[in-house]
Amino acid sequence: MIGILALQGAFQEHADALKKLSAEYKFIRNQSDLCAEFDGLILPGGESTVQRKLAKELGLLEHIKKMIEEGVPVLGTCAGLILLSKEIACGEETTFGTLPVAVCRNAYGRQLGSFSALGNVGDISDFPMRFIRAPYIEGIFSEDVEILNVLDHKITAVRYKNQIGVSFHPELTSDLRLHQMLLKI
Ligand code: GLN
């Protein structure tokens, strides 16, 4: 079963993608939801500052962080990537900090706030990437971080052991290959 952090943002779209793949899921909204046994986690896009605040207030941070550190596979998309990152440009507060990368939030500026592109993500070719006020990865702190996509000289997708972080929104397209990648891990 996959746990989807469902405090804010595009969690329903991830659930819809998992449904299409006949994968079981459960929304994580409070501490009692964490009693389930999870084979994987999804951290959706949305607003990372709001998600961080809510996760902290609801007492979810430490439990989820421990699960990721213990090897539960996780897919973080857009704001979810920010929640995973070890460092955020401008010294902003981090959330789980389990992914050894530095991200820059809202990195494409206002004019390019929202755009789409097609690119390879690791072994997946021609993946439709939808960016919405997206971050990109500007620093990598471990040689075990595998770069899965670079778009216009900016890293937008990585994998580090059990963690996949992408700047874009795979759940907003009908392409299920990144969700399949999570299920495979
Ligand atoms: N700009 C958002 C943030 O900083 C991320 C945007 C998104 O998830 N689409 O959290």
Side-chain angles (χ1 to χ4, degrees):
M1 177 158 58
I2 306 292
I4 304 175
L5 188 65
L7 303 177
Q8 187 270 340
F11 51 84
Q12 184 59 52
E13 289 81 350
H14 279 292
D16 295 342
L18 292 180
K19 258 188 239 166
K20 285 184 197 150
L21 292 167
S22 305
E24 268 187 72
Y25 67 87
K26 180 180 170 69
F27 287 137
I28 299 173
R29 294 195 158 115
N30 52 48
Q31 279 187 335
S32 62
D33 294 329
L34 289 170
C35 296
E37 275 283 309
F38 292 110
D39 306 301
L41 289 171
I42 292 181
L43 309 176
E47 184 53 48
S48 57
T49 51
V50 176
Q51 292 188 25
R52 178 176 68 237
K53 188 168 174 285
L54 291 173
K56 210 175 187 176
E57 283 171 7
L58 292 162
L60 306 177
L61 279 191
E62 287 313 311
H63 192 130
I64 295 177
K65 182 175 178 181
K66 194 158 168 262
M67 281 165 66
I68 299 171
E69 283 170 348
E70 285 175 355
V72 173
V74 59
L75 169 64
T77 62
C78 205
L81 162 67
I82 298 168
L83 297 188
L84 286 174
S85 298
K86 199 179 176 70
E87 197 176 295
I88 303 173
C90 307
E92 278 185 54
E93 203 184 325
T94 57
T95 305
F96 301 118
T98 49
L99 183 64
V101 301
V103 286
C104 184
R105 290 181 59 217
N106 301 318
Y108 292 92
R110 259 167 205 244
Q111 288 191 324
L112 265 178
S114 203
F115 63 97
S116 297
L118 205 60
N120 298 342
V121 182
D123 292 342
I124 303 172
S125 55
D126 294 334
F127 192 84
M129 299 182 289
R130 176 118 177 70
F131 295 83
I132 303 172
R133 293 180 302 110
Y136 60 69
I137 294 163
E138 58 173 18
I140 285 183
F141 305 129
S142 164
E143 54 190 30
D144 292 330
V145 174
E146 188 188 341
I147 295 173
L148 301 180
N149 177 265
V150 179
L151 183 70
D152 291 338
H153 309 289
K154 296 181 174 85
I155 301 168
T156 71
V158 292
R159 174 166 174 191
Y160 172 70
K161 300 177 182 174
N162 55 318
Q163 304 177 56
I164 305 167
V166 301
S167 302
F168 46 88
H169 286 266
E171 79 287 6
L172 298 184
T173 70
S174 55
D175 197 313
L176 300 171
R177 288 178 290 171
L178 260 177
H179 291 88
Q180 276 169 328
M181 186 193 273
L182 174 72
L183 296 182
K184 234 187 236 170
I185 302 174

